[in-house]
Amino acid sequence: MPDSGGSRAQREHIPANETGAEAPAPDGRTALTPHGDAGALSVDPAAPPVTAPPGLPGPAATAARRTGLLVTLVLGGLTALPPLSMDMYLPALPAVTDSLAAPAATVQLTLTACLAGMALGQLVVGPMSDRWGRRRPLILGMVVYVLATAICALAPTVELLIGFRLLQGLAGAAGIVIARAVVRDLYDGVEMARFFSTLMLISGVAPIIAPLIGGQVLRITDWRGIFVVLTGVGVLLTLVVVKWLHETLPPGDRHTGGVPDALRTMRGLLADRVFTGYMVAGGLAFAVLFAYISASPFVVQEIYGASPQTFSLLFGLNSVGLIVVGQINGKLLVGRISLDKVLGFGLAVIVLSSVALLLMTLGVFGEVGLVPVAAGLFVLMSAMGLAMPNTNAQALMRTKHAAGSASALLGTSSFLIGAIASPLVGIAGERTAVPMAVVQVVCALAAVACFLGLCRPWQPARREAGAL
């Protein structure tokens, strides 16, 4: 397993002259430090200078910190795109049901299609990024995402909307998988877990503001206007990627074997019991989250009579809980407490909160109002800040030379399991929250079983011996 010695730039101490320009490395190669020209992300693929190593002169250290900030913002934007695509649209689900004269279960398939597209797209984009680098597949995916989102705004039927949401998800997968792969290119160990928590802070802002924006858009236009706004966001993010995100995977580290080689790599990853355990546990935890995302617009608005604006505020509050706990994880817990212990505690809280929600929806405590249910959802969402970054970090720590393929498997499992959970929450109609709670309890218990049965956190020596 890789050590936890921080970013690779810190471990490889990139030499620099006093201007922060290039300087010869001890082995005769040339190493680059960030230029700082208009904040451009100039990265030497052999040693990405993400953070300032100790001892760098002042100008070089400043440039390195600026580069690290740009990496964080760009990758944060890419990881924020999926919640933007999902959550801005959530307040509009009842309106889409009325506008297109479609049942709620069919309209929820627009979420399932986007999620399934993101899952399948990662299986393609991940190996592509290992073969051709991170930049070109990402730019191609972003361009297709923009076109698909613009077409969603014009869809005249629910069937066409489902189809274009599938294409939107397929293209949007590029940002998800490549952002994780870039993190693996640049970081190892504890620093990688901390960076994932930082990404959660940035991407966590999206679920807070997305339903709020969606609710406000619905005040001045219909649901189609939400896709117009998403199109604008996609265009902006594409321009940022083109200008500031340079390549992080050196040509010498790329795979050249094509599809058969990619399949062999993925088969090898899946043969690692511990990697598979973290992957499936993370996917099941995501399914708990997505069951909430898919069902909550109907639960909060149709069952408890809240307005789209009230739903947006509650959704944002839950996202604040996820962000705060994620930052506690990254700033206070990582490096002080075993990642497995933190992950286990997070999964235990998810199980308890989902069981409490099931008991409330079944009427065990009598007829409860919106406040107790909202409190249970808040605890559940907050615990995701302990589960999601640590499953990703622990799994990716076991992959040294196939970060794109590993990231694809992690994302695909999460989105496929979430896509399966999505229609199940509406199987009994719009007037009961019991299916949502049942799906959450089953997935939470299954996540714990995978963590204990496959990862076996009490056997660290055997786990490390199997690392790829």
Side-chain angles (χ1 to χ4, degrees):
M1 181 177 292
D3 62 31
S4 57
S7 74
R8 296 180 184 180
Q10 287 175 312
R11 294 195 309 276
E12 297 178 13
H13 189 107
I14 303 164
N17 58 28
E18 292 188 356
T19 64
E22 65 179 61
D27 60 1
R29 294 182 293 108
T30 297
L32 298 180
T33 56
H35 298 201
D37 54 335
L41 185 92
S42 300
V43 177
D44 173 17
V50 179
T51 56
L56 277 182
T62 300
R65 283 193 296 270
R66 180 164 52 211
T67 297
L69 177 62
L70 284 170
V71 172
T72 303
L73 292 177
V74 173
L75 298 184
L78 292 174
T79 55
L81 191 60
L84 279 176
S85 301
M86 293 287 181
D87 300 340
M88 278 186 64
Y89 180 64
L90 291 180
L93 284 178
V96 175
T97 300
D98 296 335
S99 173
L100 299 181
T106 303
V107 172
Q108 283 176 327
L109 289 177
T110 61
L111 292 176
T112 302
C114 186
L115 199 64
M118 290 180 181
L120 298 175
Q122 291 182 71
L123 285 178
V124 177
V125 177
M128 284 175 60
S129 72
D130 282 338
R131 183 175 183 183
W132 290 299
R134 313 303 186 200
R135 180 176 165 84
R136 284 184 291 174
L138 176 58
I139 293 175
L140 176 62
M142 292 302 301
V143 170
V144 176
Y145 172 88
V146 169
L147 295 175
T149 305
I151 296 173
C152 282
L154 306 174
T157 65
V158 70
E159 290 80 13
L160 287 175
L161 181 60
I162 291 171
F164 288 124
R165 286 282 278 175
L166 176 65
L167 180 61
Q168 183 192 43
L170 287 168
I176 306 169
V177 67
I178 292 178
R180 276 196 302 263
V182 169
V183 173
R184 185 64 184 94
D185 291 341
L186 301 178
Y187 289 94
D188 276 330
V190 168
E191 286 299 317
M192 183 166 56
R194 286 178 175 151
F195 197 92
F196 275 125
S197 291
T198 301
L199 285 185
M200 180 166 288
L201 171 62
I202 297 174
S203 62
V205 173
I208 295 175
I209 65 174
L212 296 174
I213 295 173
Q216 296 307 311
V217 169
L218 291 176
R219 295 172 70 97
I220 60 177
T221 184
D222 61 6
W223 60 270
R224 299 181 189 274
I226 293 177
F227 286 107
V228 173
V229 174
L230 284 173
T231 301
V233 172
V235 170
L236 178 61
L237 188 55
T238 302
L239 294 176
V240 169
V241 167
V242 169
K243 181 173 178 59
W244 280 304
L245 187 63
H246 292 190
E247 187 57 63
T248 61
L249 184 66
D253 289 345
R254 298 176 189 176
H255 295 187
T256 58
V259 175
D261 182 66
L263 293 176
R264 282 193 297 270
T265 299
M266 289 186 175
R267 186 167 61 247
L269 291 169
L270 292 174
D272 178 6
R273 169 179 53 79
V274 180
F275 173 87
T276 301
Y278 286 122
M279 179 188 72
V280 177
L284 290 165
F286 184 82
V288 176
L289 173 64
F290 199 75
Y292 157 74
I293 291 175
S294 182
S296 60
F298 297 98
V299 172
V300 174
Q301 296 179 75
E302 301 295 332
I303 297 178
Y304 293 99
S307 67
Q309 288 71 37
T310 300
F311 162 74
S312 300
L313 290 173
L314 289 175
F315 195 92
L317 180 62
N318 291 340
S319 299
V320 168
L322 186 150
I323 291 173
V324 170
V325 173
Q327 290 311 291
I328 292 173
N329 174 70
K331 304 298 183 183
L332 299 179
L333 302 180
V334 170
R336 294 181 175 87
I337 302 176
S338 163
L339 294 183
D340 280 332
K341 290 182 180 178
V342 177
L343 174 57
F345 178 77
L347 291 176
V349 174
I350 291 172
V351 169
L352 292 175
S353 57
S354 60
V355 169
L357 284 168
L358 177 60
L359 295 177
M360 284 189 282
T361 57
L362 287 173
V364 173
F365 305 119
E367 185 175 349
V368 299
L370 177 60
V371 173
V373 172
L377 292 172
F378 176 80
V379 174
L380 184 147
M381 281 281 284
S382 298
M384 293 294 169
L386 300 177
M388 294 195 300
N390 291 327
T391 52
N392 283 333
Q394 288 287 69
L396 286 173
M397 268 192 250
R398 302 180 64 82
T399 63
K400 297 178 181 179
H401 306 297
S405 297
S407 178
L409 289 173
L410 289 171
T412 296
S413 63
S414 295
F415 282 93
L416 277 180
I417 296 173
I420 294 171
S422 175
L424 296 178
V425 300
I427 198 170
E430 306 173 22
R431 298 297 177 180
T432 175
V434 172
M436 177 193 74
V438 170
V439 170
Q440 289 174 332
V441 169
V442 171
C443 290
L445 291 173
V448 172
C450 287
F451 175 59
L452 296 178
L454 296 178
C455 301
R456 300 175 188 173
W458 59 87
Q459 297 177 334
R462 290 179 59 185
R463 292 171 51 243
E464 292 186 10
L468 296 179

